[in-house]
């Protein structure tokens, strides 16, 4: 992996603008190189304004939606119309507002009794539609929680070591919403051509400093496991989240 790129922007608005532009550029580059763009969306609160910007105006017009294939890097085991669903978030903010054929949208449905079977099913879908072994997404979007988790890979959880799988089920999350989930493993995340981690807010500042500048402690700080071997890693954060970083990243 090349050195991670750290992008610091003034506030959440700027984060949404710059991240949306990055996604458009990645999409155009992927389509130019490979005639398709495979992206895994993330959940949480940070991506909503990013998704909204991709759904409208010049960005929506520039996005090669007709060549885009959309997946999720994690989702919660709730119905797709539940407000806690990452699918619903992306649908309301983006996918329901653009003309993207349903066949190009692969929801990570985690609603059902057998989550291990759901994880295997989703891994099969990824293997079928995303080229590479392991499958290589053009872009995986992630966030980071205040505890240092990313996707649904939580501190000290056995899922951190599930490197033989592409997608795994997790028990109820230690953070709200306390529901089981499905998540990409580090194997699938780190096979990506590009990973973009988006985060905002002062409540993340201490943790992001530890993840980026602190000693390696991946059990406590799962976000440190994100390291796409043959790809790029970009962190984008607002000033509040970056306020405890000790170095300058220009
Ligand atoms: C989820 C996530 C999760 C999220 C972080 C950050 O489904 O909860 O995908 O990893 O990205 O918790 O969430 P915020 O953007 O809300 O801080």
């Amino acid at each position: 992996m090349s050195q991670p790129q750290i992008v610091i922007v003034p506030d959440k608005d700027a984060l949404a603008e710059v991240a949306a532009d990055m996604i458009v550029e990645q999409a155009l580059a992927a389509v130019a190189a490979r005639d398709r763009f495979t992206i895994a969306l993330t959940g949480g609160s940070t991506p909503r304004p990013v998704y909204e910007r991709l759904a409208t105006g010049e960005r929506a017009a520039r996005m090669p939606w007709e060549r885009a294939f959309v997946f999720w890097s994690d989702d919660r085991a709730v119905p797709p119309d539940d407000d806690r669903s990452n699918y619903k978030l992306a649908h309301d903010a983006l996918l329901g507002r653009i003309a993207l054929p349903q066949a190009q949208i692969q929801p990570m449905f985690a609603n059902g009794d057998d989550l291990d079977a759901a994880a295997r099913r989703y891994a099969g879908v990824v293997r079928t539609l995303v080229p590479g072994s392991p499958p290589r997404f053009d872009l995986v979007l992630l966030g980071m929680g205040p505890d240092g988790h990313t996707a649904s890979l939580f501190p000290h959880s056995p899922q951190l070591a599930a490197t033989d799988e592409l997608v795994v089920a997790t028990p109820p999350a230690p953070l709200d919403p306390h529901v089981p989930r499905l998540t990409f493993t580090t194997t699938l995340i780190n096979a990506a051509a590009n990973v973009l981690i988006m985060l905002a807010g002062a409540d993340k500042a201490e943790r992001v400093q530890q993840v980026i500048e602190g000693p390696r402690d991946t059990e406590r700080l799962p976000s440190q496991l994100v390291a796409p071997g043959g790809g790029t890693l970009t962190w984008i954060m607002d000033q509040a989240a970056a306020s405890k970083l000790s170095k300058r990243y220009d």
Side-chain angles (χ1 to χ4, degrees), residues 146-149 153-157 160 206-207 210-211 214-224:
D147 60 348
H149 83 264
L153 297 167
F154 291 96
H156 306 290
S157 67
L160 299 180
E206 190 172 340
R207 203 63 81 200
Q210 294 170 351
V211 169
R216 195 164 166 83
D217 186 356
T218 55
E219 279 293 312
R220 190 170 68 87
L221 303 168
S223 297
Q224 286 185 334

Side-chain angles (χ1 to χ4, degrees), residues 16-247:
E17 295 280 317
V18 176
D21 283 341
M22 286 175 172
I23 294 167
V24 174
E25 294 310 323
Q26 297 273 4
L28 291 169
V31 170
R34 290 177 291 283
D35 198 33
R36 51 158 49 196
F37 174 55
T38 53
I39 178 171
L41 303 178
T42 184
S45 56
T46 313
R48 181 184 293 277
V50 181
Y51 297 161
E52 286 168 348
R53 279 165 175 79
L54 290 173
T56 51
E58 198 201 328
R59 290 191 191 92
R62 290 186 71 217
M63 264 306 274
W65 288 120
E66 66 290 349
R67 302 302 306 146
F69 294 81
V70 178
F71 299 74
W72 275 257
S73 53
D74 77 327
D75 208 342
R76 294 94 177 259
V78 295
D81 58 354
D82 186 299
D83 282 338
R84 298 166 297 177
S85 159
N86 291 343
Y87 169 79
K88 181 176 192 300
L89 161 72
H91 177 271
D92 292 354
L94 173 59
L95 302 173
R97 302 162 67 185
I98 56 170
L100 181 62
Q102 198 60 39
Q104 289 169 227
I105 302 174
Q106 297 299 334
M108 185 185 244
F109 286 134
N111 184 24
D113 289 342
D114 190 344
L115 286 184
D116 291 327
R120 285 193 297 276
R121 186 197 70 82
Y122 203 72
V125 172
V126 169
R127 271 197 200 90
T128 306
L129 295 175
V130 181
S133 180
R136 180 174 173 81
F137 277 90
D138 293 308
L139 179 60
V140 172
L141 300 181
L142 296 172
M144 189 190 84
D147 60 348
H149 83 264
T150 191
S152 286
L153 297 167
F154 291 96
H156 306 290
S157 67
Q159 289 73 30
L160 299 180
T163 51
D164 291 342
E165 315 291 335
L166 300 180
V167 180
V168 287
T170 75
L175 293 184
D176 190 45
H178 300 277
V179 292
R181 298 154 181 235
L182 293 187
T183 182
F184 279 13
T185 61
T186 57
T187 300
L188 188 49
I189 292 171
N190 288 336
N194 302 284
V195 177
L196 177 61
I197 307 183
M198 305 177 285
L199 64 136
D203 62 323
K204 308 267 174 84
E206 190 172 340
R207 203 63 81 200
V208 80
Q209 190 279 330
Q210 294 170 351
V211 169
I212 292 178
E213 298 179 338
R216 195 164 166 83
D217 186 356
T218 55
E219 279 293 312
R220 190 170 68 87
L221 303 168
S223 297
Q224 286 185 334
L225 290 167
V226 179
T232 73
L233 170 59
T234 304
W235 290 82
I236 180 165
M237 66 191 83
D238 66 353
Q239 285 284 359
S243 58
K244 297 215 159 107
L245 292 176
S246 63
K247 298 186 205 141

